[in-house]
Amino acid sequence: MLNLIFFGTPGAGKGTQAEIIAAERSLFHLSSGSILRQEIESGELGPEIKHYLDSGTLVPDSLITTMMENAITKNISGNGFIFDGYPRSISQAEALYKFFENNNLHLNAVINIEISEDEAKKRILLRGKTSGRSDDNPEVIAQRFKTYHEQTKPLLDYYQELGKIININGEPDIETVATNINQTIEEIKKPLQ
Ligand code: AMP
């Protein structure tokens, strides 16, 4: 089993890369943002959740933790997971750590996709033209970055201490970034063979 967290600012390319790598390696792509958007479309908690997404702030930890743990449990017999957009706070990371321990799961690495904030913002605005996402506009984007700096970025230190961080340059084209991520995954897997 291979379990990876894809980490980065909004617009770094986590979702794009997670989709590619998950398909190539038959891993389960678990995007917290997608799960929340589905819940808004058709779930009971929709109205409560929409408010957070539309303001660029985090959905409460307890809610997201329950949703993610349910999604992991459903797919636990597969080849592993790519977490995209989760965890996003220290408290979420601690909950995931405990859940992994209780379920005998191992976190292999945190793939930190690095791009400049200017480039990330450009990409999100471009995506906004076709994504239909109500949070891909300048005001909410600014808040999403603020949330990232205050609540999510501290996870880099958290996972650094656990020796899990692998930095990937997210600036090149999609294919190049995917190739580079795949190379690091091969490196991670070597000691297991
Ligand atoms: P994303 O699709 O990853 O860009 O997430 C879109 C929005 O969903 C974020 O701005 C948050 O409001 C919410 N969200 C996604 N993942 C999480 C998470 N792990 N914890 C709390 N809120 C989240």
Side-chain angles (χ1 to χ4, degrees), residues 67 84 97 112 123 127 165:
M67 287 176 128
D84 158 17
Y97 187 94
N112 177 32
R123 288 184 188 179
R127 180 178 72 188
I165 298 278

Side-chain angles (χ1 to χ4, degrees), residues 35-98:
I35 291 178
L36 290 168
R37 283 186 286 278
Q38 272 164 28
E39 187 68 27
I40 289 173
E41 283 289 307
S42 54
E44 278 173 18
L45 298 171
E48 193 195 327
I49 293 172
K50 191 173 177 350
H51 153 80
Y52 295 100
L53 273 80
D54 284 348
S55 63
T57 54
L58 296 187
V59 167
D61 288 332
S62 55
L63 187 67
I64 195 80
T65 298
T66 307
M67 287 176 128
M68 295 304 282
E69 288 181 355
N70 287 341
I72 298 170
T73 305
K74 264 192 210 155
N75 299 286
I76 210 156
S77 54
N79 292 337
F81 296 93
I82 296 182
F83 296 96
D84 158 17
Y86 175 84
R88 244 178 167 99
S89 68
I90 295 283
S91 141
Q92 290 179 19
E94 286 172 349
L96 185 65
Y97 187 94
K98 281 202 197 101

Side-chain angles (χ1 to χ4, degrees), residues 34-169:
S34 296
I35 291 178
L36 290 168
R37 283 186 286 278
Q38 272 164 28
E39 187 68 27
I40 289 173
E41 283 289 307
S42 54
E44 278 173 18
L45 298 171
E48 193 195 327
I49 293 172
K50 191 173 177 350
H51 153 80
Y52 295 100
L53 273 80
D54 284 348
S55 63
T57 54
L58 296 187
V59 167
D61 288 332
S62 55
L63 187 67
I64 195 80
T65 298
T66 307
M67 287 176 128
M68 295 304 282
E69 288 181 355
N70 287 341
I72 298 170
T73 305
K74 264 192 210 155
N75 299 286
I76 210 156
S77 54
N79 292 337
F81 296 93
I82 296 182
F83 296 96
D84 158 17
Y86 175 84
R88 244 178 167 99
S89 68
I90 295 283
S91 141
Q92 290 179 19
E94 286 172 349
L96 185 65
Y97 187 94
K98 281 202 197 101
F99 185 83
F100 264 42
E101 239 181 17
N102 293 338
N103 290 277
N104 280 321
L105 295 171
H106 175 71
L107 175 66
N108 296 87
V110 176
I111 308 289
N112 177 32
I113 305 177
E114 298 183 294
I115 72 168
S116 74
E117 220 161 289
D118 278 353
E119 175 65 18
K121 284 179 179 160
K122 263 189 233 156
R123 288 184 188 179
I124 300 174
L125 286 172
L126 197 68
R127 180 178 72 188
K129 290 184 182 160
T130 53
S131 69
R133 277 179 58 166
S134 53
D135 59 347
D136 282 349
N137 65 71
E139 294 74 35
V140 185
I141 291 169
Q143 180 55 50
R144 285 160 67 195
F145 274 90
K146 192 164 181 276
T147 304
Y148 170 81
H149 284 291
E150 289 173 2
Q151 287 171 276
T152 307
K153 203 174 171 204
L155 287 179
L156 283 176
D157 286 339
Y158 175 91
Y159 284 117
Q160 192 75 55
E161 267 180 42
L162 294 174
K164 299 291 182 190
I165 298 278
I166 295 174
N167 293 317
I168 292 283
N169 179 3

